[in-house]
Amino acid sequence: MTSPVLPSHGRVRPLGLAQVSITGGFWGRRQAVNATATLAHCESWMERLGWLANFDRVADGTTSPDRPGWSFSDSEVYKLLEALSWEWGRTGDPEAEAAIKRLTARVARAQDPDGYLNTCFGHGGQQPRYSDLEMGHELYNTGHLLQAAVARLRTHGEDDLVRVARRAADHVCRTFGPDGRPGICGHPEIEVGLAELGRALGEERYVEQARLFLDRRGHGTLRDIPLGRAYFQDDIPIRQADVWRGHAVRALYLTAAAVDVAVERGDDELLRAVERQWERSVARRTYITGGMGSRHQDEGFGEDWELPPDRAYCETCAGVASIMVSWRLHLATGDVRYTDLIERTLYNVIATSPSPDGRAFFYANPLHQRAPGRPADADEVSPRAEAGARAAWFDVSCCPTNVARTLAGLQGYLATTDDDGLQIHQYAPSTIRAELPDGREMAVEIETAYPESGTIRVRILNDALWTLALRVPAWAAGATLVDDGHARPVEPGMATVRRAFRAGEVITLELPMEPRFTWPDPRIDAVRGCVAVERGPEVLCVESHDLPHPGRLDALAIDPLPGPRAEPGGARVRGRLAAPPDRPWAYSGAAAAPAAGVEWIDVPLRPYHSWAHRGPSSMRIWLPIERE
Ligand SMILES: [Zn+2]
């Protein structure tokens, strides 16, 4: 099975690249751009910056202290290898195969005879191996190598990349096993890599090593740092924690591994701990976009309700990691709340990051941009994650390759099976062919213009008796299902049809796509008195390009009484730009009165994921309310 995550058991089973293909639409376009532009873009930047040559220098014995790139630059090569492997599995593209071979040869040459593989430590002129577990990222890099090998193994089979990963995993188990050094990595990732490679190769000891790393964490195992041990989740054992904290990507990669270990070990205590953390973090520490992490200083979660829109960090990688967690939890439990959050994150974080040409990316994804960013030079590395404009590459460039590997394997997140049928979670023009354990075959074709339209047609391709289940998103109150000519209302959750299907029949799900207001919990102080507009799975935003006075987006106020009106691809609300007169002091003994005599206008909203496509702009999702 060619799926990124393959638990040995769970409430539902994932379908892989061989069973599901996306044939067009919103995600089909993005997969195509990823394949034709982003993959080569990533390789050329890593070549240009010397991140690939770092492997050659280790192999040739020419390393020196002035190595280019951060200590985690090896991981970008591995994430690209993972993306290329899913891409080759999806399309059989010979260019992807050639790139895999090219990169694998350079990586393999740099592996030490005992399996250690890292271009930043342990060679001439460098610090010794594992001499900075807190910030050195050695095991983190290895974790991404193992995930790349899983992709290669499942789409192609054993080859040099898989053999390199196996030797690296064995080295980790020898060095950090029960009788080895009792250390952990400051950046979780080795755990999720070990768990999945263990599943892919049937190597139980890799899963056990992942469990050991998980349970070692949270006891002050790492040195304290200025940001505190919560930064790398070494403050509280994962089984005792009840919310995510610290660096968001670290917290989420760690949690993904915890689900893997819990499922493989039948460890219900651990699974319940993770579900508890998911619940509180989603209820109190997650943006309306699905974005996670509000603090810039440590790229981390804030306190409960600390969700400022303009200071939202919402790293693209945290979106990827959130999907990794929710998908694993969904496979374990079948709970639709997890696939609901995946949809929200896909449309409002993952889709937001890459430019339409696939050669520039957002790293941070704020919900409010006060001043337009400076257009990024397509030929320069951006030193900053928070630029207000998509950049071709970053000094810390974790997000582009993370988007690439997610998009290349995206069809793996569309559907699942159980013992009696097929569950469809994400809607895209696609074909799905799957077999039940008793041999019954299910084949469907999905026709939809989602999310532009809420009509999803599921065309049955063969005669068989089984249960079709379609996810009705939490926002989709008033949805209807048309089966055999009969329409019936369906509630958010899973709408099911169980019967003997005939080839050619069509079951239609109608999701209400009228734009709607969404109100925040008043404890999110930063957006109290504001409302957002959503349409289907898309969060909408106002962009300065669409306003008569672009400089005055700060002064936007909307009248919520008329409600948002539908417009192709977005919505309109009634609002005005009523800036008070400038004063020498922004505070006063009297509450500010709305400016008089300013006309109400129609304010257009567009999907947040498309913001800054037309050049730098100021933008906001949360709209202050003013009643006339
Ligand atoms: Zn990132």
Side-chain angles (χ1 to χ4, degrees):
M1 179 74 79
T2 52
S3 175
V5 189
L6 268 185
S8 61
H9 58 278
R11 173 67 189 78
V12 293
R13 294 182 289 273
L15 288 174
L17 278 62
Q19 287 85 31
V20 184
S21 59
I22 299 174
T23 51
F26 186 98
W27 293 111
R29 284 194 298 279
R30 281 158 178 80
Q31 277 199 319
V33 168
N34 189 54
T36 55
T38 305
L39 297 175
H41 174 88
C42 292
E43 186 182 349
S44 77
W45 271 103
M46 287 193 260
E47 190 72 271
R48 177 175 158 179
L49 296 176
W51 299 2
L52 277 163
N54 283 336
F55 289 91
D56 309 337
R57 285 186 206 102
V58 170
D60 299 339
T62 56
T63 50
S64 66
D66 60 352
R67 171 191 173 279
W70 290 87
S71 62
F72 38 83
S73 68
D74 292 359
S75 73
E76 307 311 337
V77 178
Y78 303 146
K79 272 148 67 187
L80 176 59
L81 271 165
E82 183 186 343
L84 287 162
S85 297
W86 296 128
E87 182 58 29
W88 185 80
R90 185 176 81 86
T91 59
D93 176 12
E95 277 185 40
E97 177 67 10
I100 293 167
K101 292 224 164 88
R102 191 161 65 229
L103 297 177
T104 297
R106 291 172 84 174
V107 167
R109 255 176 25 96
Q111 188 164 39
D112 292 351
D114 66 352
Y116 179 83
L117 175 50
N118 190 282
T119 70
C120 189
F121 288 84
H123 303 98
Q126 299 177 333
Q127 282 179 248
R129 291 176 181 185
Y130 305 120
S131 54
D132 182 8
L133 286 178
E134 285 76 16
M135 305 310 277
H137 291 87
E138 283 159 282
L139 291 165
Y140 166 85
N141 285 314
T142 307
H144 278 301
L145 169 67
L146 307 192
Q147 284 191 308
V150 167
R152 185 63 171 157
L153 189 60
R154 289 188 178 149
T155 52
H156 172 278
E158 185 107 11
D159 76 342
D160 282 349
L161 179 59
V162 178
R163 284 187 282 273
V164 165
R166 200 194 269 271
R167 284 196 294 273
D170 289 343
H171 166 79
V172 169
C173 291
R174 276 198 308 277
T175 310
F176 293 94
D179 304 322
R181 186 175 164 169
I184 57 173
C185 185
H187 198 315
E189 163 62 28
I190 184 66
E191 299 84 355
V192 75
L194 279 168
E196 202 63 44
L197 188 66
R199 296 203 274 224
L201 289 169
E203 286 280 9
E204 177 58 25
R205 64 205 170 89
Y206 294 168
V207 181
E208 173 54 20
Q209 183 64 45
R211 186 206 59 76
L212 196 57
F213 279 136
L214 277 168
D215 280 332
R216 265 182 203 160
R217 204 174 202 94
H219 302 282
T221 305
L222 295 166
R223 172 172 49 87
D224 205 0
I225 57 168
L227 292 165
R229 287 198 177 96
Y231 174 70
F232 32 48
Q233 296 76 43
D234 193 28
D235 55 335
I236 305 169
I238 191 162
R239 293 166 192 276
Q240 291 166 26
D242 46 32
V243 72
W244 291 328
R245 68 237 169 270
H247 187 273
V249 178
R250 287 168 208 247
L252 292 161
Y253 282 176
L254 183 73
T255 307
V259 182
D260 291 338
V261 167
V263 166
E264 294 312 310
R265 290 303 161 89
D267 189 338
D268 291 342
E269 179 213 0
L270 182 56
L271 189 64
R272 273 197 301 276
V274 169
E275 287 196 280
R276 187 173 71 229
Q277 291 160 30
W278 187 97
E279 280 165 16
R280 176 157 156 207
S281 306
V282 169
R284 300 179 173 212
R285 298 187 177 192
T286 302
Y287 284 95
I288 188 174
T289 53
M292 292 187 185
S294 51
R295 290 192 179 167
H296 289 228
Q297 62 178 21
D298 61 349
E299 305 184 301
F301 286 97
E303 294 293 331
D304 288 356
W305 317 117
E306 185 186 330
L307 295 165
D310 47 355
R311 297 299 293 159
Y313 198 69
C314 294
E315 181 179 340
T316 301
C317 288
V320 169
S322 163
I323 290 170
M324 286 166 60
V325 171
S326 284
W327 183 239
R328 284 161 173 78
L329 284 170
H330 178 76
L331 296 176
T333 64
D335 196 326
V336 72
R337 62 185 175 169
Y338 300 121
T339 36
D340 269 352
L341 184 67
I342 288 174
E343 173 174 71
R344 181 171 290 281
T345 310
L346 280 173
Y347 282 99
N348 302 296
V349 180
I350 307 305
T352 309
S353 175
S355 61
D357 73 358
R359 293 188 176 91
F361 305 85
F362 275 136
Y363 186 120
N365 294 283
L367 285 74
H368 183 175
Q369 182 72 30
R370 291 185 182 272
R374 201 170 54 83
D377 186 333
D379 210 33
E380 258 178 35
V381 174
S382 171
R384 289 175 303 127
E386 20 178 326
R390 292 173 180 86
W393 202 251
F394 298 94
D395 183 30
V396 172
S397 217
C398 45
C399 299
T401 51
N402 232 345
V403 168
R405 67 177 182 145
T406 304
L407 289 176
L410 190 67
Q411 61 274 46
Y413 298 90
L414 258 54
T416 54
T417 58
D418 59 12
D419 287 345
D420 192 51
L422 176 67
Q423 302 85 42
I424 303 174
H425 305 288
Q426 309 301 341
Y427 299 117
S430 51
T431 53
I432 304 175
R433 291 174 186 278
E435 199 174 298
L436 291 171
D438 59 13
R440 277 176 289 164
E441 285 184 14
M442 307 172 292
V444 300
E445 184 175 358
I446 296 166
E447 301 158 354
T448 182
Y450 191 77
E452 214 166 288
S453 146
T455 303
I456 295 127
R457 289 195 186 83
V458 182
R459 183 178 302 281
I460 306 289
L461 299 180
N462 67 327
D463 296 357
L465 169 74
W466 51 278
T467 303
L468 170 68
L470 301 172
R471 185 178 62 91
V472 180
W475 50 261
T480 52
L481 188 78
V482 186
D483 173 27
D484 204 16
H486 304 290
R488 62 176 163 100
V490 285
E491 297 290 317
M494 294 305 277
T496 58
V497 181
R498 184 175 202 284
R499 61 184 177 80
F501 293 109
R502 314 278 309 178
E505 283 187 288
V506 175
I507 291 103
T508 303
L509 179 64
E510 290 282 358
L511 299 176
M513 302 301 278
E514 287 300 305
R516 59 190 190 275
F517 277 140
T518 302
W519 306 86
D521 187 297
R523 288 172 286 186
I524 309 173
D525 309 76
V527 293
R528 194 180 292 176
C530 292
V531 68
V533 183
E534 297 183 274
R535 179 184 176 277
E538 295 172 316
V539 175
L540 305 186
C541 69
V542 176
E543 224 184 330
S544 51
H545 293 304
D546 296 314
L547 293 179
H549 307 292
R552 291 167 58 183
L553 195 51
D554 288 339
L556 179 68
I558 66 141
D559 175 2
L561 277 184
R565 280 174 293 126
E567 176 160 293
R572 276 177 187 270
V573 294
R574 185 165 185 265
R576 59 179 185 167
L577 294 153
D582 284 334
R583 296 174 299 175
W585 185 237
Y587 312 91
S588 164
V598 180
E599 279 187 17
W600 291 89
I601 56 170
D602 265 358
V603 177
L605 293 108
R606 295 164 174 270
Y608 169 69
H609 59 71
S610 70
W611 90 272
H613 279 181
R614 292 171 290 166
S617 66
S618 56
M619 172 279 300
R620 66 190 303 161
I621 286 173
W622 289 108
L623 311 173
I625 292 164
E626 179 190 323
R627 293 216 167 85
E628 196 172 13

